[in-house]
Amino acid sequence: MTVVMRHRLERSQSIQVGLTQTFNFFSDAANLEALTPPFLKFRILTRFPIEMRSGTRIEYTLSLFGIPIRWRTRITEWMPGQRFVDEQEIGPFAFWRHTHEFWFHDKATTIRDVVEYSEPFGMLGQLAHGLFVKRMLDRIFDFRHDQIQSLLNNVAPVRVDAQRIKCK
């Protein structure tokens, strides 16, 4: 019997940009390339424009250690202005679910990413997690954090939204 370990990565950050602008930025699949480190050679294969909604599938290609990998995700939950979830259908993980949450409070929008994942190949996958997968994901999300700070804080001046959406 193979035991599959599920891992969890959580990141949060606040930016001085309104909720609507922030959610709109993340709702545009074209911005995903800017949030992904160059070493992954990430490219979206799905034809633009991509209408983001529950059920939308997006195909990508990336390179891990020089090996090209195709990845397809599907939006499984879509709550405009609050959250969306993408789940891997085809890709390098045995399981991948990325929850994106947004809420506005005290003149800032908080962005929260929760990624639940597991590697394929049982114990070999667990060994890979300890050796490099966890560090690589930390590196990817560190880059993402910095890019969000740079790109979104320069989008427009702070607009105070009257709406206050709490994360569940």
Side-chain angles (χ1 to χ4, degrees), residues 54-73:
S54 189
T56 295
R57 287 182 167 86
I58 305 173
E59 301 241 2
Y60 323 90
T61 185
L62 56 94
S63 179
L64 287 175
F65 310 109
I67 301 167
I69 295 173
R70 287 187 74 108
W71 193 330
R72 182 174 69 212
T73 59

Side-chain angles (χ1 to χ4, degrees), residues 134-151:
K134 182 182 181 328
R135 280 194 306 264
M136 182 179 63
L137 288 175
D138 284 338
R139 184 175 168 201
I140 290 167
F141 277 82
D142 288 347
F143 179 88
R144 180 181 174 92
H145 174 276
D146 294 345
Q147 288 294 97
I148 289 168
Q149 284 297 120
S150 174
L151 294 170

Side-chain angles (χ1 to χ4, degrees), residues 36-52:
T36 306
F39 77 86
L40 288 174
K41 297 179 181 152
F42 180 87
R43 250 183 353 110
I44 296 174
L45 300 176
T46 302
R47 181 176 278 158
F48 286 96
I50 298 171
E51 181 188 349
M52 297 291 276

